[in-house]
Amino acid sequence: MQIPFEPQLFGYTINIHLVLEYLAFFVAYRYYVILRRKSADAISSNNRLSIILGAALGALIGSRLVGFLENPVFEFSQQNIIQLLNTKTIMGGLFGGLLGVELAKKYIGENQSSGDLFTFPIILGVFIGRIGCFLSGVNEFTYGKQTSFFMGMDLGDGVLRHPTSLYELMFLMLLFLGLKQLKKRVTLENGDLFKWFMILYFTFRFCIEFLKPNVFYVFGLSTIQILCIICLLYYRKTLLQIKT
């Protein structure tokens, strides 16, 4: 199979990344519905719906905002503006969704932690989306720097690069299995599972950003890395509990 993978259907080229992105939303939501049916959710259906709406709105704004901040310097042209409107990142979506949830819960007066039910569906959704990124190769700005590492791959431009999407796929599988085992073996407080997902995933993304050819830096760090630091500071209380 050649990367970028661009299948043809009735003479039209299929955007495999877009197809898998929509599939990720559908499968993740269906998985969430199944998990909620099997669990004793302390949050009412109406409040849960408000939380989901808050997460969706926050994710929409956050993904676009952070996507823009990854490269805020650009020439104003019709093509660049269209590209800007289509730019998004899962990191901004996750953190924006987190803030959207907290604002929604404050508005409706919900005090229960709500993230645990979303944890595994989110991981599954990100996993499916990252398959699309990997198959898109250099058509999506998720590829890595040029490398002589044994896992280097030609992602469509004739250059051996770090397949960072593939690295992330392997990490997400380990994260999914690891959190499943943690849930089985350790008595966690409500909300802790989601907190550890965010901490571990954002830590991973901070590290893997060093393998990407970013073009915009602040204090030697990319926008994603700065967001990762903000997220880890947000969960500093959970991190400090490790020492106690």
Side-chain angles (χ1 to χ4, degrees):
M1 181 179 65
Q2 184 177 356
I3 296 179
F5 178 55
E6 299 176 322
Q8 300 284 325
L9 182 64
F10 303 118
Y12 293 94
T13 300
I14 304 301
N15 186 332
I16 192 65
H17 182 266
L18 186 62
V19 170
L20 288 172
E21 187 175 289
Y22 285 129
L23 180 64
F25 284 117
F26 175 77
V27 173
Y29 180 72
R30 295 309 306 170
Y31 186 25
Y32 157 76
V33 171
I34 293 172
L35 291 179
R36 188 164 190 261
R37 285 175 180 170
K38 292 181 177 180
S39 66
D41 193 359
I43 300 176
S44 68
S45 296
N46 286 339
N47 282 3
R48 182 64 74 172
L49 178 59
S50 297
I51 289 170
I52 291 174
L53 291 175
L57 182 58
L60 178 65
I61 297 173
S63 64
R64 259 70 179 181
L65 177 61
V66 176
F68 166 71
L69 292 176
E70 281 192 281
N71 186 16
V73 181
F74 68 98
E75 295 181 2
F76 282 94
S77 66
Q78 183 177 358
Q79 181 178 358
N80 286 342
I81 292 175
I82 292 175
Q83 183 177 356
L84 175 63
L85 293 174
N86 290 325
T87 299
K88 53 187 178 297
T89 171
I90 184 61
M91 302 300 287
L94 285 173
F95 196 72
L98 170 65
L99 298 181
V101 165
E102 293 304 320
L103 289 174
K105 286 168 61 178
K106 186 174 182 180
Y107 179 77
I108 63 179
E110 179 60 65
N111 297 319
Q112 294 286 338
S113 295
S114 58
D116 285 355
L117 267 178
F118 296 120
T119 301
F120 294 115
I122 288 175
I123 296 175
L124 179 59
V126 175
F127 184 88
I128 295 172
R130 275 293 176 258
I131 295 175
C133 293
F134 174 66
L135 294 177
S136 297
V138 293
N139 289 340
E140 291 288 333
F141 191 65
T142 54
Y143 53 85
K145 294 179 180 178
Q146 183 175 352
T147 182
S148 58
F149 187 51
F150 78 95
M151 287 191 67
M153 297 180 63
D154 179 1
L155 299 175
D157 61 354
V159 177
L160 291 180
R161 297 181 177 276
H162 282 290
T164 49
S165 293
L166 187 59
Y167 297 162
E168 186 169 338
L169 287 171
M170 292 187 287
F171 172 79
L172 288 169
M173 285 190 289
L174 293 175
L175 181 61
F176 187 95
L177 296 174
L179 290 179
K180 281 285 188 180
Q181 290 300 312
L182 180 66
K183 185 180 179 181
K184 288 180 180 179
R185 299 184 180 186
V186 179
T187 302
L188 299 171
E189 293 185 8
N190 191 22
D192 280 354
L193 192 68
F194 181 78
K195 291 176 183 177
W196 281 110
F197 156 66
M198 292 289 283
I199 289 170
L200 293 171
Y201 183 64
F202 274 67
T203 299
F204 169 80
R205 286 299 304 269
F206 178 87
C207 296
I208 205 170
E209 281 295 301
F210 289 111
L211 300 181
K212 293 184 178 181
N214 293 295
V215 296
F216 184 78
Y217 295 92
V218 177
F219 302 116
L221 299 175
S222 71
T223 300
I224 294 296
Q225 288 175 315
I226 293 172
L227 179 63
C228 290
I229 292 174
I230 293 172
C231 180
L232 294 177
L233 289 174
Y234 183 87
Y235 287 116
R236 63 189 180 279
K237 291 183 179 179
T238 302
L239 288 170
L240 290 174
Q241 289 176 0
I242 300 175
K243 300 179 181 180
T244 60

